[in-house]
Each structure stands twice: as structure tokens, then as C-alpha cells.
Amino acid sequence: MAALGGGPIQETPMPLSFAALLGAVALLAESSVPATDPSAPCYTGLDETRRALAKATGERMVRNPRGSVPMHLFRGTPTGCARLRFVVDAEGRLQEPVVELAHPDTRFGAAALRLLSSAVFTPGRRPREEALMVVSFTLEAPPATD
């Protein structure tokens, strides 16, 4: 919110569970992602091999990272997504993350990278294994408190 008198904008972080953002993994079992899903734009152009890779990557996650994203990320849109390509090393750590696609703008890619940075995956059978993940963001109202 902007402070009175035109002061600086204060960012209010919104806590998010990475597991809640990964609703896309379950959708990969289907041949197509419903157009109403916030992650649909990030699946556009993926062939079956890359969809399978994204599904396998989600199944290999052993520690879901937690974090927060700034509320300004959702200014003007309640949803977004990012497609990330990276390597999982022999210890299960994330290496060389790259944002392949962010929709509707690059802020969603930067937020997805921040959340993914603390993820841990099952170790690969080889020293370096390619991985692909789609992260969807949906602005939700905080739970009501009594």
C-alpha cells in the first residue's frame, strides 16, 4: 500500500507453501492442462517428453521449500506461472536454474526461482540430471481468524 502523502510503497510478503503452488504436477497426468488453470500458459508448447520430465521432477522433490512472495507480484492479476529448467546433482541439489517462461511477466519467474532455491530432490543416478518444473501462483485470501 502507498503511505499517505505519496510516501514509499511498502511490500507485504504473502507466505506461500511451495506444495500449494505445485498443483500443476497432478495435472500432468492428463494429456492437456485446462485453460482455466493458472499454470496453463507455462505448459504451452511442451511436448509429451518434457511434460513427463516435469512430472518426474515433481515426484523427486523430497523437501518442499517455503517462502513468501511480495503482494505486488499479484498487482493487476490474481494468477501467474513460471517454467523452470535446472539440473539436479548427485546429492539432490538444484544447479543451474533458468527461467524458461514466466507469465504474465518476469516477476513470476523471479519469485519461482526464490522459492525453488531451497528445494531438495532425490539424488540422481547420474552426476547431473535435467529437470523441469512448472510453478503456478494463485492469490488466495488469508484464512479467517476467530
Side-chain angles (χ1 to χ4, degrees):
M1 317 177 155
L4 290 177
I9 294 176
Q10 296 185 4
E11 297 299 334
T12 305
M14 183 175 125
L16 293 174
S17 160
F18 195 72
L21 301 176
L22 285 175
V25 172
L27 292 170
L28 285 169
E30 302 174 15
S31 61
S32 64
V33 178
T36 57
D37 186 273
S39 62
C42 290
Y43 283 104
T44 302
L46 286 183
D47 62 17
E48 289 304 314
T49 302
R50 296 197 76 216
R51 284 178 183 261
L53 178 60
K55 183 173 191 269
T57 299
E59 291 170 351
R60 290 180 61 186
M61 188 178 290
V62 294
R63 186 175 76 209
N64 292 338
R66 301 219 181 273
S68 62
V69 297
M71 288 298 291
H72 78 271
L73 184 69
F74 296 99
R75 197 168 291 141
T77 179
T79 63
C81 65
R83 185 168 67 214
L84 308 172
R85 178 175 34 92
F86 52 96
V87 171
V88 175
D89 69 13
E91 286 78 39
R93 290 185 304 248
L94 170 80
Q95 303 288 320
E96 305 171 29
V98 174
V99 176
E100 282 192 349
L101 178 72
H103 179 82
D105 65 54
T106 59
R107 295 177 298 172
F108 287 95
L113 282 176
R114 282 193 305 274
L115 289 171
L116 188 63
S117 66
S118 64
V120 175
F121 298 86
T122 56
R125 294 178 301 277
R126 298 180 300 279
R128 298 169 44 84
E129 291 189 29
E130 181 184 8
L132 183 72
M133 184 166 283
V134 171
V135 180
S136 62
F137 295 88
T138 302
L139 180 62
E140 296 178 359
T145 57
D146 293 328

